[in-house]
Amino acid sequence: MCDPIYLAIASTATTIIGKQQEANVMKANLRRQSDIYAYEAKVQENNALMAEWSAQAEADTFQRRLAVIKGKQSPISAKAGVQINVDSPLLVATDTAAEGQLEYLNILNKGDVQAAAERAGAVGKRSAAEQQRINASMVQPATNIAIAGEISGAGYSLLRKSSTGKPNG
């Protein structure tokens, strides 16, 4: 029959090895999560750039369409016998230009707002990535404390058994 002291030592050693393996897995998982958050931050930063570029392209397309509309207004007015650049045709042309510029700026603003939201999300992801790296760095010290507690608990139990000569109950 095995001596209970050897069984206690073997049990403690197995527990310690298990705690260390668990810590290694936890650290690896936290580092992996950190890498995922960092990647997601880069994706959001790229999305921000795409939002700005897309808005600029949409605004440029709008300006080209507006130029065509404005180009058609004068000949239509002239054909109708209206004097161009005086009174109503002038007001229509001015309103068209003002509304066109306002729409152009609204398109750009929409892209800026979307880009800002993406960048804010990227900041959050980078923060989460950093927190996961910090968490990973805290696993080993916490595991060391747990292992020390396991060793001291086993040592105390073994001392009691050896000093009384009977199993601890």
Side-chain angles (χ1 to χ4, degrees), residues 76-153:
I76 290 172
S77 296
K79 185 177 178 184
V82 176
Q83 189 176 2
I84 299 172
N85 296 333
V86 178
D87 297 327
S88 292
L90 178 61
L91 294 175
V92 169
T94 303
D95 284 349
T96 301
E99 288 297 320
Q101 186 62 24
L102 184 60
E103 182 61 22
Y104 175 81
L105 293 173
N106 280 334
I107 292 168
L108 292 177
N109 184 56
K110 181 177 72 172
D112 288 345
V113 168
Q114 184 179 353
E118 292 290 345
R119 286 191 178 100
V123 168
K125 294 292 184 182
R126 276 195 299 281
S127 176
E130 180 60 27
Q131 186 59 52
Q132 293 300 65
R133 283 191 290 277
I134 290 168
N135 291 347
S137 72
M138 303 290 280
V139 170
Q140 191 59 55
T143 301
N144 292 346
I145 291 169
I147 288 172
E150 189 69 34
I151 291 170
S152 65

Side-chain angles (χ1 to χ4, degrees), residues 19-35 129 131-144 147:
K19 285 184 185 295
Q20 186 58 55
Q21 278 301 102
E22 182 181 356
N24 292 343
V25 168
M26 184 181 290
K27 282 191 298 188
N29 285 339
L30 290 169
R31 286 183 185 134
R32 197 169 301 112
Q33 288 173 357
S34 174
D35 291 344
Q131 186 59 52
Q132 293 300 65
R133 283 191 290 277
I134 290 168
N135 291 347
S137 72
M138 303 290 280
V139 170
Q140 191 59 55
T143 301
N144 292 346
I147 288 172

Side-chain angles (χ1 to χ4, degrees), residues 18-93:
K19 285 184 185 295
Q20 186 58 55
Q21 278 301 102
E22 182 181 356
N24 292 343
V25 168
M26 184 181 290
K27 282 191 298 188
N29 285 339
L30 290 169
R31 286 183 185 134
R32 197 169 301 112
Q33 288 173 357
S34 174
D35 291 344
I36 289 169
Y37 284 132
Y39 173 77
E40 289 174 350
K42 281 305 263 180
V43 168
Q44 287 191 292
E45 289 167 352
N46 289 339
N47 287 346
L49 290 174
M50 291 305 295
E52 290 171 340
W53 294 340
S54 175
Q56 184 64 56
E58 185 180 342
D60 291 345
T61 300
F62 174 79
Q63 273 196 324
R64 284 190 295 277
R65 285 193 313 249
L66 180 63
V68 169
I69 291 170
K70 288 178 0 185
K72 288 180 181 179
Q73 282 179 340
S74 294
I76 290 172
S77 296
K79 185 177 178 184
V82 176
Q83 189 176 2
I84 299 172
N85 296 333
V86 178
D87 297 327
S88 292
L90 178 61
L91 294 175
V92 169

